[in-house]
Amino acid sequence: MSLFSTGILVLTSPLHTLPLRIAPVLSSAAQLVERTLYVHLHPGLNLGSGSQPRPVFIPPVVDLSTLITRLYNNAADVCGHLDVRVLLTNVHAQSAACGGTTTPNCPFPTPQSLSHSPEVVLTDFPVQDPGQSHQVTQCLQRYTGHCYVCSPTLSSVLLHPQLLNLQQNKEELINAEEKAEPLETYSDVVVGGTFDRLHGAHKTLLNISCLLANRRFLIGVCDQAMLKKKVLKELIEPYSLRVQKLQEFLIDVKPSLQVEIVPLDDPFGASVVDPDLKCIVVSEETRKGGEAVNKKRIENGLPALVLHEIQLLKDAHHTDTEEEKISSSSLRSRLLGTLLTPPKDASHLPPVPYVIGLTGGSGSGKSSIAKQLEALGAVRIDCDKLGHEVYQPGTGAYHKVLEEFGSDIANEDKTINRRVLGRKVFGNQERLKALTDIVWPEIALLVKTRINQAKEEGKQVCVLDAAVLLEAGWTDMVHEVWVTVIPEEEAVLRITERDGVTTEDALRRLQSQWSNSKQIEHANVVLSTLWEVEVTRKQVLKAWNLLQKRIQQRQVGQ
């Protein structure tokens, strides 16, 4: 069966039985849907009665909250590639249904538009008689079309009903419904977070907050001041993009909610001054933060918020260097070594050798990564060594530098004293530019010579190890740009230890270079040597293997 980009899964099993069934159902759905899977809950929906069922409101109960957590947890385990979204349009306290109108059940007066139009509808409804399948799928299509705006060619599929046909008598179902514990809901609910690359834990937090909120949902999203201590903060999505993704998700999940998203520049934000807020949603990890919010509210003369605690989702795929819970920092670390942005057009370059431009700030471990790539088969072109060559007596750059900066920079043996030269340009942008205008073009000529030599030797990959790759504008000589980053505080420690300079000198050196964030703007691949050597080695190997695949695909394409 062909794959669909977007699907909608209609779950009909009773809430208290769904946790046992959801993993195989999601696993089956993942074989048909490749991008977005919406989940619509209608416990007890009968698609085989012969009459056309209508969507109804289902009450917010504790079991529903538990199911949402379980569903996102299972999704992370069995279909992590899918963007799963649990829809709550039809979840509402019965007494408040339809804004107090006399109609008891009308969650969809008109079909709801979703961010991605579903192309297939799936269900866990167990068909008792195989001859009933056509009737059930037709009924399912009409039901779904009543709820959501779907593709005109919407297909319908029954997901392995034999896996899901757990015997249950009507009396047990009625008893379970009677025992269902209502979930306390609130007019105004607040949460805070970074919300970088929405994952299952974010979605659980957002879905349960939507479940608890009747009127307004306030979200504080960490802005620059709150990101300084985040792992690989340079890979965090821009604030505007994180907000855009949040808005799209929440409009899909519960369009009736009034959603407010505000920048969070301190740990509290609006949560300690907004008098309308009633509840804050926290996890075990952030509960102390919620308690701190309440302390501030009381100091401000406001009532404390109800702390609603949700479970942290376990990450079944975490490594030894990652957190056990599903977290954005773990997901960012998994981006290291992967292709973050497609390579620019390099049709002006020979296809072989494929040239990687590797750069990074002082102390970032760039050269150690270059050596690892060399061990894997790449030709390493060390621009620092080439820089020494262009200063040699007799070269074109040598005479130009002496003319520009004076003969007093020459040693007795006629070589240029780079320390004396450095003092002449340090802190003087105009003089530094005069020097780089002489030296950088000469280094570029040597680089091109080395690349041609590698081509003549039949080498497939070159790595241009260049601290000033971006500043010098050498990206036109490479097919891809790879950047290695570490936090500034770690770079300072390494520079002071390696070069014996003061912390202030190390900071000045770093601040004279392009920032990590600015370099990453030009990067196709990002690496980091922040962790143990073995962790870096695995990153480099992943980057190398993915590079080989790209080169093969490129050759096939040509």
Side-chain angles (χ1 to χ4, degrees):
M1 189 173 287
S2 60
L3 279 176
F4 301 91
S5 175
T6 304
I8 188 159
L9 171 61
V10 177
L11 293 175
T12 66
S13 302
L15 281 179
H16 65 287
T17 65
L18 262 174
L20 299 174
R21 309 178 185 212
I22 197 65
V25 171
L26 287 173
S27 184
S28 299
Q31 295 173 32
L32 299 170
V33 179
E34 56 185 356
R35 189 179 70 171
T36 306
L37 180 66
Y38 292 109
V39 179
H40 172 93
L41 297 163
H42 188 147
L45 176 66
N46 188 352
L47 295 168
S49 64
S51 59
Q52 182 62 44
R54 292 283 180 176
V56 297
F57 278 110
I58 60 174
V61 293
V62 173
D63 280 357
L64 186 57
S65 174
T66 304
L67 172 67
I68 288 170
T69 304
R70 180 70 169 267
L71 196 149
Y72 281 121
N73 218 342
N74 286 158
D77 289 348
V78 303
C79 54
H81 65 288
L82 280 182
D83 176 6
V84 176
R85 305 182 182 192
V86 181
L87 304 173
L88 300 176
T89 304
N90 63 326
V91 179
H92 208 302
Q94 296 289 355
S95 59
C98 308
T101 65
T102 54
T103 309
N105 295 307
C106 57
F108 299 96
T110 58
Q112 176 185 338
S113 290
L114 298 169
S115 301
H116 311 284
S117 181
E119 301 161 2
V120 63
V121 56
L122 316 165
T123 187
D124 65 340
F125 181 76
V127 176
Q128 305 298 330
D129 175 7
Q132 197 184 25
S133 295
H134 179 69
Q135 176 192 318
V136 170
T137 54
Q138 292 293 105
C139 186
L140 177 63
Q141 282 177 324
R142 288 193 294 271
Y143 173 88
T144 309
H146 189 87
C147 301
Y148 305 101
V149 177
C150 301
S151 166
T153 56
L154 184 72
S155 303
S156 56
V157 179
L158 307 177
L159 292 178
H160 301 303
Q162 68 273 15
L163 290 175
L164 313 166
N165 190 13
L166 301 181
Q167 293 301 315
Q168 191 111 29
N169 63 48
K170 289 184 180 178
E171 187 178 333
E172 286 176 331
L173 294 180
I174 292 167
N175 288 340
E177 287 173 9
E178 287 176 350
K179 290 176 186 172
E181 183 184 346
L183 189 68
E184 185 75 28
T185 59
Y186 309 90
S187 60
D188 296 60
V189 173
V190 63
V191 299
T194 307
F195 299 104
D196 178 40
R197 295 177 172 82
L198 285 184
H199 51 65
H202 290 140
K203 292 174 183 178
T204 303
L205 174 67
L206 294 168
N207 260 108
I208 290 177
S209 298
C210 286
L211 198 61
L212 296 170
N214 293 324
R215 186 182 76 89
R216 182 174 67 122
F217 182 20
L218 176 64
I219 307 169
V221 177
C222 294
D223 209 353
Q224 290 302 319
M226 293 288 288
L227 302 179
K228 289 179 179 176
K229 294 189 177 179
K230 298 286 184 184
V231 175
L232 297 170
K233 65 179 184 292
E234 298 86 1
L235 292 181
I236 293 174
E237 294 172 317
Y239 174 83
S240 58
L241 180 58
R242 286 179 281 140
V243 168
Q244 179 188 324
K245 290 183 177 180
L246 271 173
Q247 288 170 332
E248 181 194 291
F249 179 83
L250 292 166
I251 288 171
D252 277 348
V253 168
K254 196 170 180 179
S256 63
L257 268 188
Q258 177 188 333
V259 173
E260 292 179 26
I261 302 175
V262 296
L264 200 55
D265 295 313
D266 62 64
F268 302 109
S271 67
V272 296
V273 295
D274 190 322
D276 295 327
L277 294 174
K278 306 295 183 215
C279 171
I280 184 169
V281 185
V282 297
S283 66
E284 181 184 350
E285 190 180 64
T286 61
R287 186 177 185 88
K288 285 185 178 177
E291 291 168 351
V293 164
N294 276 341
K295 186 178 177 184
K296 283 277 188 184
R297 282 181 69 87
I298 292 166
E299 289 172 4
N300 291 341
L302 296 173
L305 302 176
V306 173
L307 297 184
H308 184 96
E309 186 176 321
I310 63 168
Q311 286 180 298
L312 290 171
L313 298 195
K314 295 291 185 183
D315 187 348
H317 309 290
H318 78 278
T319 65
D320 291 342
T321 59
E322 296 173 347
E323 297 178 87
E324 287 188 15
K325 66 181 178 73
I326 294 176
S327 73
S328 297
S329 58
S330 295
L331 297 183
R332 287 195 294 276
S333 72
R334 291 172 201 173
L335 293 174
L336 297 172
T338 68
L339 191 68
L340 297 180
T341 57
K344 63 177 176 25
D345 176 39
S347 53
H348 63 287
L349 297 176
V352 179
Y354 197 85
V355 184
I356 301 299
L358 178 66
T359 191
S362 186
S364 66
K366 168 184 60 66
S367 294
S368 68
I369 287 175
K371 289 172 184 173
Q372 289 182 48
L373 290 168
E374 185 177 27
L376 288 167
V379 173
R380 180 187 176 206
I381 301 172
D382 186 342
C383 287
D384 192 43
K385 285 185 179 178
L386 298 184
H388 284 280
E389 284 186 31
V390 301
Y391 284 109
Q392 293 302 311
T395 63
Y398 175 83
H399 296 294
K400 290 177 184 175
V401 170
L402 286 180
E403 285 174 19
E404 181 69 37
F405 294 96
S407 58
D408 60 319
I409 63 171
N411 294 314
E412 288 183 9
D413 62 0
K414 305 296 185 184
T415 59
I416 289 175
N417 187 322
R418 293 179 68 178
R419 192 177 293 274
V420 174
L421 176 61
R423 283 199 292 268
K424 290 199 173 194
V425 300
F426 184 77
N428 186 326
Q429 289 299 315
E430 187 178 332
R431 299 303 283 150
L432 179 61
K433 186 176 186 304
L435 177 62
T436 56
D437 283 350
I438 295 168
V439 174
W440 284 351
E442 297 295 327
I443 296 175
L445 289 173
L446 291 178
V447 167
K448 289 174 182 176
T449 300
R450 298 292 194 277
I451 291 172
N452 286 330
Q453 287 175 358
K455 182 180 179 181
E456 289 169 10
E457 293 167 7
K459 303 297 184 182
Q460 294 298 304
V461 179
C462 286
V463 174
L464 183 58
D465 178 357
V468 295
L469 178 83
L470 300 174
E471 294 93 323
W474 292 341
T475 53
D476 63 342
M477 296 193 291
V478 304
H479 294 88
E480 293 182 18
V481 174
W482 291 16
V483 172
T484 176
V485 296
I486 56 170
E488 184 181 84
E489 57 271 22
E490 175 66 18
V492 167
L493 286 173
R494 292 183 185 184
I495 295 166
T496 54
E497 189 175 309
R498 182 189 68 193
D499 300 343
V501 298
T502 65
T503 297
E504 291 72 23
D505 284 341
L507 273 170
R508 272 196 294 271
R509 186 185 303 180
L510 289 170
Q511 287 159 4
S512 71
Q513 301 170 353
W514 281 23
S515 67
N516 286 343
S517 297
K518 189 174 180 181
Q519 292 191 62
I520 285 176
E521 287 175 14
H522 298 266
N524 302 110
V525 174
V526 175
L527 300 157
S528 179
T529 61
L530 180 58
W531 300 277
E532 293 82 1
V533 173
E534 185 55 33
V535 176
T536 303
R537 191 175 291 117
K538 286 178 180 177
Q539 270 180 47
V540 173
L541 186 58
K542 175 167 72 172
W544 177 260
N545 289 336
L546 290 172
L547 171 66
Q548 299 308 309
K549 288 181 182 177
R550 290 198 291 282
I551 292 173
Q552 287 171 10
Q553 289 167 354
R554 196 166 178 267
Q555 289 169 346
V556 169
Q558 291 171 345

